[in-house]
């Protein structure tokens, strides 16, 4: 891929031209129905670049900074954008997931908490999904902020089976918690002191709990 400003080559995975400093608009490439609608009132770039532009995508509204190309997504919008890609995935490509984790499109500098584009309160930072390599900034009331290239990386992560792997790990955690609860209930019943809040297991359940333990 070449820079749109100076035509210099941009390495795969990079979001910024090493020659002129221009950023590649990767995130909305392929979204032919993404339509810019001018300024988005009362929405400002968390990086201090001024007002955001409103982009209408399907039935969603995104805020995009014309300077750093970061994206502001309303609550639930990110999951809505990723859902169609997740529905097409049947297997997990762990090699590709490893590559995405080792070569993120945004390289972390010093950790800093940024203000929400809407309310100005500092957002929380959290890893989106297992092995996505993307740290999102999230405001509980107003959604998430993604730096340039991170939406594209999350789409690649989803197509590589990242969301599927997340579901599998979540199910495993639930199964482990259930087994632990059954073992604890069975042990307490043997001692004649069942924990408050846990139902007493029937004979079949006690046998299963002992087998799991």
């Amino acid at each position: 891929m070449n820079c749109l400003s100076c035509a210099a080559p941009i390495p795969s995975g990079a979001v910024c031209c090493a020659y002129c400093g221009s950023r590649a608009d990767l995130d909305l490439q392929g979204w032919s129905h993404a339509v810019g609608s001018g300024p988005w009132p009362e929405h400002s770039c968390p990086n201090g670049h001024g007002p955001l532009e409103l982009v209408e995508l399907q039935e969603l509204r995104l805020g995009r900074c014309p300077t750093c190309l970061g994206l502001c997504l309303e609550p639930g919008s990110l999951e809505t954008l990723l859902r169609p890609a997740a529905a097409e995935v049947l297997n997990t490509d762990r090699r590709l997931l490893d590559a995405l984790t080792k070569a993120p499109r945004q390289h972390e500098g010093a950790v800093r908490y940024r203000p929400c584009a809407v309310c100005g309160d500092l957002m929380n930072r959290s890893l989106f999904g297992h092995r996505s390599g993307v740290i999102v900034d999230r405001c509980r009331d107003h959604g998430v902020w993604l730096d340039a290239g991170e939406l594209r990386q999350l789409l690649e992560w989803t197509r590589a089976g990242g969301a599927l792997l997340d579901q599998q790990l979540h199910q495993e955690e639930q199964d482990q918690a259930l087994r632990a609860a059954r073992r604890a209930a069975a042990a307490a019943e043997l001692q004649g002191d069942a924990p408050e809040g846990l139902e007493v297991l029937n004979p079949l359940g006690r046998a299963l709990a002992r087998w799991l333990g």
Side-chain angles (χ1 to χ4, degrees), residues 30-113:
W31 303 93
S32 58
H33 42 293
V35 179
S37 302
W40 198 0
E42 301 180 356
H43 287 70
S44 298
C45 174
N47 295 318
H49 297 135
L52 300 182
E53 295 178 342
L54 175 62
V55 176
E56 296 181 4
L57 181 60
Q58 298 172 345
E59 298 180 355
L60 305 176
R61 299 186 304 170
L62 315 179
R64 179 172 60 174
C65 175
T67 302
C68 68
L69 301 181
L71 293 173
C72 174
L73 297 92
E74 294 179 315
S77 294
L78 178 56
E79 291 75 12
T80 299
L81 288 176
L82 299 178
R83 192 172 298 124
E88 300 173 357
V89 177
L90 299 177
N91 299 294
T92 300
D93 187 338
R94 294 178 180 267
R95 182 176 299 178
L96 180 53
L97 289 176
D98 286 340
L100 289 172
T101 303
K102 294 176 181 177
R105 292 188 179 274
Q106 279 287 3
H107 297 284
E108 282 290 312
V111 174
R112 61 192 180 101
Y113 290 86

Side-chain angles (χ1 to χ4, degrees), residues 92-200:
T92 300
D93 187 338
R94 294 178 180 267
R95 182 176 299 178
L96 180 53
L97 289 176
D98 286 340
L100 289 172
T101 303
K102 294 176 181 177
R105 292 188 179 274
Q106 279 287 3
H107 297 284
E108 282 290 312
V111 174
R112 61 192 180 101
Y113 290 86
R114 290 180 284 194
C116 170
V118 182
C119 66
D121 291 344
L122 293 181
M123 296 180 284
N124 293 318
R125 291 163 46 87
S126 61
L127 178 66
F128 187 93
H130 182 69
R131 295 168 66 181
S132 72
V134 174
I135 303 293
V136 301
D137 297 277
R138 188 182 299 272
C139 172
R140 181 185 62 183
D141 297 321
H142 301 112
V144 302
W145 173 263
L146 298 178
D147 288 318
E150 290 183 336
L151 177 57
R152 174 58 59 91
Q153 175 151 343
L154 288 177
L155 282 168
E156 293 172 354
W157 170 81
T158 302
R159 291 173 181 139
L164 180 62
L165 181 60
D166 252 8
Q167 293 175 357
Q168 294 170 346
L169 293 175
H170 181 64
Q171 185 61 52
E172 290 175 4
E173 290 174 355
Q174 287 184 324
D175 292 343
Q176 290 175 0
L178 179 59
R179 288 195 293 268
R182 285 172 172 168
R183 287 195 294 268
E189 188 177 358
L190 287 173
Q191 297 174 3
D193 184 22
E196 183 179 353
L198 283 176
E199 297 180 358
V200 176

Side-chain angles (χ1 to χ4, degrees), residues 189 199-210:
E189 188 177 358
E199 297 180 358
V200 176
L201 297 175
N202 57 33
L204 179 60
R206 289 198 297 271
L208 178 60
R210 293 190 186 98

